[in-house]
Amino acid sequence: MENQNSSVRPAIRRVLGIETSCDETAAAVYDGRTGLAAHELYSQVSLHAAFGGVVPELASRDHVTHLTPLIARALERAGGGAEAIDGVAYTAGPGLVGALLVGAAVARSLAFAWKVPAIGVHHLEGHLLAPMLEPDPPDFPFIALLVSGGHTLLARVTALGDYELLGTSLDDAAGEAFDKTAKLLGLPYPGGPALARLAQQGRRDRFAFPRPMLDRPGLDFSFSGLKTAVVVALKSITLDAATRADVAAGFESAVVATLVAKCERALDATGIATLVVAGGVGANLHLREQLAALGRERGIVVRYPRPEFCTDNAAMIAYAGYARLAAGESDGLAIRASARWALDSLTPPHRGALHRAPR
Ligand code: KG4
Ligand code: ZN
């Protein structure tokens, strides 16, 4: 343990990343010289499908079952084994606290046993930095649109840890709206990807659903009214296969048009010419097409991670942890897990042990 928190620490090259904040168990190894060395993921979707949503206690238990074999596989695929690991990063929040604790306890214990530093990573920082895993990563500063199951926000990202919140959802997150609307259409959990697939067969102009908050200034979002508009529409129609696809297409178009318009506003307001899209809804093809079109129109750079790194994964946690550990930050011996933790409370990396206290 002698070097655990001393200011003289060997250079960080390889970091093991662990993600257990919700319903995916994942482990990855990021190498500062050669890039992503391995990433493994086990999705709990089939476990929770019968309940129509994530059951927190079942999620925690399933993480306990799957995490260590996944870590072993990631280390094996990366080559070099545990001896090659210079630090361990884990998602410390926000998320389901029982699920987070599984990853946090395992990660901190491994770091202790291996005599390397550990760091608790903010899950949304992981999402924001996921495009850095791609061959042509964006330069700072950029505008980030983060659209996941639990969060919808626009942020100005000036540097690692320098995140200014420009707008956020006042009610449902974009992914949550997709999931709830999918449920209304009788689609199985998780509804977002299923609704998106159905939308591809539908007519986008049959249902003119409202584009929430576009009539008001500002960069906040609201999606609950749109969901209500779908409920009202469904009451007056017979839901045959074609109509279901048309409702899905109308809903997806309304969400995407709103997200694109808010991105445009954020770019206008800041004068920044790079846009990054991250989070599960960032895997949505219609959103990616519309943002690519916006990029061409305005001559701006638009970057997104590959779809598997839009949804939850450990590669983004390994990368974010690497970036902070390599800058000299670490967490000491604390095991950290916080259900709530504001993204804009993060700061750029600090040298030495830093006891950031998420709330
Ligand atoms: O980032 P993520 O994997 O988990 C959270 O941190 O929340 O995001 C999951 C969300 C779910 O709501 C899911 O339905 C949505 O992302 N999602 C999609 C698509 N793929 C995942 N929504 C729309 N279209 C998709 N292709
Ligand atoms: Zn996520």
Side-chain angles (χ1 to χ4, degrees):
M1 288 304 301
E2 54 284 0
N3 271 338
Q4 187 98 26
N5 287 317
S6 81
S7 52
V8 185
R9 188 182 283 152
I12 299 286
R13 175 172 170 185
R14 276 199 165 193
V15 171
L16 169 68
I18 290 174
E19 157 65 37
T20 63
S21 67
C22 189
D23 60 347
E24 330 276 356
T25 318
V29 176
Y30 184 82
D31 184 309
R33 276 184 233 163
T34 55
L36 192 62
H39 63 102
E40 298 290 323
L41 182 137
Y42 172 80
S43 173
Q44 301 181 356
V45 158
S46 58
L47 172 71
H48 301 292
F51 303 94
V54 178
V55 182
E57 175 60 15
L58 294 184
S60 310
R61 289 187 216 164
D62 219 37
H63 287 311
V64 171
T65 307
H66 290 103
L67 182 56
T68 38
L70 276 179
I71 293 172
R73 212 156 66 216
L75 291 176
E76 192 190 317
R77 295 243 161 109
E83 299 77 56
I85 299 296
D86 305 310
V88 183
Y90 61 93
T91 303
L96 303 171
V97 81
L100 290 166
L101 272 169
V102 177
V106 170
R108 193 65 202 81
S109 306
L110 286 177
F112 187 86
W114 296 343
K115 300 183 170 53
V116 295
I119 190 155
V121 169
H122 194 293
H123 182 78
L124 301 185
E125 177 168 75
H127 275 304
L128 282 187
L129 299 178
M132 302 301 189
L133 293 162
E134 300 305 337
D136 192 9
D139 293 323
F140 297 120
F142 55 78
I143 294 296
L145 171 70
L146 205 156
V147 270
S148 73
H151 298 86
T152 297
L153 56 88
L154 273 164
R156 184 208 304 254
V157 178
T158 311
L160 173 68
D162 194 345
Y163 311 126
E164 182 195 347
L165 220 55
L166 302 173
T168 185
S169 179
L170 305 177
D171 40 56
D172 291 351
E176 196 179 357
F178 264 94
D179 294 339
K180 287 181 176 172
T181 305
K183 216 172 206 173
L184 292 173
L185 291 173
L187 296 170
Y189 163 87
L195 188 149
R197 275 193 300 277
L198 187 61
Q200 291 198 318
Q201 301 151 29
R203 280 169 41 200
R204 295 200 177 272
D205 55 356
R206 178 163 164 207
F207 292 95
F209 291 124
R211 269 67 175 145
M213 310 278 284
L214 288 191
D215 50 342
R216 279 189 252 168
L219 294 168
D220 287 332
F221 303 88
S222 163
F223 292 108
S224 66
L226 176 56
K227 189 193 64 197
T228 307
V230 174
V231 172
V232 171
L234 288 179
K235 280 193 179 140
S236 60
I237 50 175
T238 316
L239 207 56
D240 56 42
T243 306
R244 275 168 88 231
D246 293 344
V247 172
F251 168 82
E252 184 184 59
S253 299
V255 173
V256 167
T258 305
L259 295 175
V260 172
K262 296 280 164 142
C263 286
E264 217 172 346
R265 273 189 203 174
L267 294 163
D268 281 340
T270 58
I272 290 175
T274 303
L275 177 67
V276 158
V277 188
V281 183
N284 184 277
L285 286 179
H286 185 53
L287 176 63
R288 290 164 92 102
E289 279 163 19
Q290 296 299 304
L291 288 174
L294 177 75
R296 286 192 299 274
E297 231 167 73
R298 297 181 62 121
I300 57 155
V301 176
V302 182
R303 289 276 180 277
Y304 10 62
R306 71 195 84 165
E308 66 178 319
F309 293 161
C310 281
T311 47
D312 287 350
N313 66 87
M316 65 186 194
I317 303 304
Y319 176 81
Y322 164 79
R324 286 189 176 271
L325 287 166
E329 180 177 337
S330 75
D331 271 347
L333 291 175
I335 294 175
R336 296 172 38 215
S338 295
R340 289 174 178 277
W341 184 6
L343 178 68
D344 56 355
S345 70
L346 294 184
T347 54
H350 291 313
R351 242 168 214 291
L354 173 74
H355 300 282
R356 291 167 299 146
R359 282 170 297 279

